[in-house]
Amino acid sequence: AQSVTQLGSHVSVSEGALVLLRCNYSSSVPPYLFWYVQYPNQGLQLLLKYTTGATLVKGINGFEAEFKKSETSFHLTKPSAHMSDAAEYFCAVSMRRDDKIIFGKGTRLHILP
Amino acid sequence: DARVTQTPRDKVTEMGQEVTMRCQPILGHNTVFWYRQTMMQGLELLAYFRNRAPLDDSGMPKDRFSAEMPDATLATLKIQPSEPRDSAVYFCASGRGTVAGNTIYFGEGSWLTVV
């Protein structure tokens, strides 16, 4: 069965610094991969996703992620953190023939002034 | 803006009471998902439906939880009897077709507290 591991339940970065949130998946075949963001007291919203094609995926709010099959990773990055990026970020995976989408445990991103 | 609507937003109930949470998926979406979010377990998939038919409810405690879709515009999640360990945020999400490659859209959640 597929699974997702997010390294670090909390990550703190200074405003203007690089954001790097790590995600590794476990799957026998390349899955579809997603990053969702959750702001306080809200539901999750899609940040970006990888299905096929280009392995570097750009999303909203300046975020991007790169699918690396050899490393079974889909890390999320943003060159320069903004205070408004403070939220919880979830990596998720679904198999190509399956409807189920499985989420990691999430990483809370703190932005330091 | 089309969105997933969940009711109630907040619910406090006593142990042993029945709780029903409702979800109106986005019009035209034919897959519906129920997730539970807690600090300890994160986001757990409880059940999902396609075209109103339950496809997988293996994540749901069968003895007290039930999920149904009476029609295409309504999904329900019922807990009977409720227990304090059921306290969590319950999210409904909907999507079009198979979710593989397609985005699913979340409601704002139902915050349940069982005392």
Side-chain angles (χ1 to χ4, degrees), chain A residues 11-75:
Chain A
V11 169
S12 296
V13 301
S14 298
E15 190 173 18
L18 171 72
V19 175
L20 171 61
L21 304 182
R22 299 178 187 274
C23 172
N24 287 88
Y25 66 90
S26 170
S27 173
S28 56
V29 295
Y32 291 119
L33 294 157
F34 307 81
W35 275 99
Y36 278 80
V37 60
Q38 184 181 29
Y39 297 103
N41 300 324
Q42 294 186 25
L44 283 72
Q45 54 183 285
L46 182 70
L47 211 50
L48 49 80
K49 64 183 179 184
Y50 168 77
T51 54
T52 58
T55 56
L56 181 63
V57 180
K58 295 186 186 300
I60 62 172
N61 301 337
F63 284 92
E64 60 183 37
E66 186 170 11
F67 168 59
K68 292 187 176 180
K69 183 180 176 181
S70 61
E71 298 177 7
T72 61
S73 69
F74 191 56
H75 302 329

Side-chain angles (χ1 to χ4, degrees), chain B residues 43-58:
Chain B
L43 269 167
E44 303 171 276
L45 177 63
L46 297 177
Y48 79 100
F49 295 78
R50 188 195 305 152
N51 297 325
R52 297 177 53 201
L55 291 188
D56 189 339
D57 61 1
S58 59

Side-chain angles (χ1 to χ4, degrees), chain A residues 32 34 36 38 41-44 46 49 51 88 90 94-105, chain B residues 9 33 35 37 40-41 43 45 48 50 55-56 91 97-104 106-108 111:
Chain A
Y32 291 119
F34 307 81
Y36 278 80
Q38 184 181 29
N41 300 324
Q42 294 186 25
L44 283 72
L46 182 70
K49 64 183 179 184
T51 54
E88 188 150 20
F90 293 88
S94 77
M95 298 308 296
R96 290 169 183 263
R97 63 179 183 280
D98 199 314
D99 288 314
K100 286 200 293 189
I101 179 166
I102 305 300
F103 287 85
K105 290 195 180 297
Chain B
R9 282 284 277 140
F33 303 79
Y35 288 90
Q37 186 177 32
M40 293 300 294
Q41 301 298 328
L43 269 167
L45 177 63
Y48 79 100
R50 188 195 305 152
L55 291 188
D56 189 339
F91 286 102
T98 62
V99 77
N102 290 330
T103 303
I104 62 172
F106 281 77
E108 294 192 327
W111 297 65

